[in-house]
Every structure is written in C-alpha cells, then in structure tokens.
C-alpha cells in the first residue's frame, strides 16, 4: 500500500540513483519479498538502504538529512509523514489520491501513484522546490500539533456525549 514497487522503478527511471541513495524506513512487513525483488530487478542493490524500525527520536534526523520525502502512496488516511517532513523543511512528493492532496494543501509535488513516469518526474521536480515553498510548507505545518489534536478530540467527545 505504500507503493514501494512503483517508487523503486521510478527511482531507477529518474536516474537519481546516480546521485542519491534511497532510504526505506520502517519495519519490513507483508510484501517485503516483492520489494527485495524490485531492488534486484532494477539493479539498485547498492543504492537502496532498508533501515528497518526507526525509533521516534531518530526519525527527525533521517528527515533532516534527506533530500526529500517520497510518499506517493496508493491511499493514505491522514498522512502524518507529509506534515512531519514539512515541519522539518523537507520537500515532499505525495500521491494525488486519498487525503494526501488535502493534507499537502498545495505544498507538495503531487503525482499519480499508479504512474512510474509521473513519480520519476515528480522526484526531480521535488528536488527543485523553491525555498519559499519549503518555508510556506513549514509555516503551514505549524497548524498541526498534538495539543491541538487532543483539544479538538476532547471537544468532539464532549459534543457527542452531550448530544
């Protein structure tokens, strides 16, 4: 569901593997065999790093040292990764399906998660996003805090329970 097969094909197609390593962060789960096969089939064994589980305190370091977040998933609920990247002033490539376009609010490069060509082109465009856009995305990301989420959730429950 994270679309890693198309992302890996796009990474190869884009030619960015010549200048950038591609990090897949997270615990390998269902479909991991297919992901490994895509890495081998696209001759990316020396270009893709699979980190495995990443603790919360390490995640910001990965974002801060990245060229961007590549996140064109087939479907995403909220897409917290989009906001996390914006908060750390990292350009974002996201899918144009699900909630991602609404969450990105015009501050991410949006592509069809079904098109390897669009993802490949989007990766290149993402690397050229202006600093003004990155700063605007950062300002936008400040609207999303855990405190605000907790407050709005509590208010929702109050309204529902008193209805």
């Amino acid at each position: 569901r994270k679309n890693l097969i198309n992302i890996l094909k796009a990474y190869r197609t884009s030619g960015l593997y010549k200048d950038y390593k591609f990090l897949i962060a997270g615990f390998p789960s269902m479909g991991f065999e297919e992901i490994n096969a895509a890495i081998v089939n696209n001759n990316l064994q020396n270009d893709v790093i699979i980190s495995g589980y990443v603790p919360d305190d390490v995640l910001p370091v990965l974002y801060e040292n990245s060229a961007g977040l590549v996140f064109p998933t087939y479907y995403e609920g909220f897409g917290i990764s989009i906001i996390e990247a914006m908060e750390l002033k990292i350009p974002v490539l996201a899918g144009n399906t699900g909630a991602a376009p609404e969450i990105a609010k015009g501050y991410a490069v949006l592509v069809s998660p079904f098109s390897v060509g669009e993802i490949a082109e989007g990766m290149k465009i993402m690397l050229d996003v202006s600093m003004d856009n990155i700063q605007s995305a950062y300002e936008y990301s400040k609207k999303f805090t855990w405190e605000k989420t907790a407050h709005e959730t509590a208010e929702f429950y109050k309204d529902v329970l008193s209805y």
Side-chain angles (χ1 to χ4, degrees), residues 76-120:
E76 201 61 41
F78 180 79
I80 189 77
S81 299
I82 295 169
I83 299 300
E84 289 173 336
M86 289 176 174
E87 183 180 36
L88 293 167
K89 298 185 178 182
I90 303 302
V92 176
L93 169 73
N96 63 6
T97 59
E102 182 180 352
I103 298 307
K105 206 62 145 187
Y107 299 112
V109 175
L110 298 178
V111 298
S112 168
F114 302 98
S115 171
V116 170
E118 277 190 42
I119 297 168

Side-chain angles (χ1 to χ4, degrees), residues 15-116:
L16 292 173
Y17 67 92
K18 297 172 187 170
D19 298 312
Y20 296 90
K21 296 289 185 189
F22 194 90
L23 174 67
I24 299 173
F27 187 75
S29 60
M30 202 167 63
F32 188 66
E33 297 79 23
E34 291 87 358
I35 293 165
N36 271 332
I39 291 168
V40 171
N41 292 340
N42 288 284
N43 197 27
L44 295 171
Q45 300 92 315
N46 296 320
D47 306 302
V48 175
I49 301 163
I50 300 174
S51 71
Y53 171 75
V54 176
D56 288 342
D57 61 329
V58 174
L59 193 57
V61 175
L62 294 181
Y63 280 123
E64 290 168 346
N65 289 289
S66 71
L69 173 68
V70 178
F71 200 66
T73 61
Y74 290 123
Y75 179 82
E76 201 61 41
F78 180 79
I80 189 77
S81 299
I82 295 169
I83 299 300
E84 289 173 336
M86 289 176 174
E87 183 180 36
L88 293 167
K89 298 185 178 182
I90 303 302
V92 176
L93 169 73
N96 63 6
T97 59
E102 182 180 352
I103 298 307
K105 206 62 145 187
Y107 299 112
V109 175
L110 298 178
V111 298
S112 168
F114 302 98
S115 171
V116 170

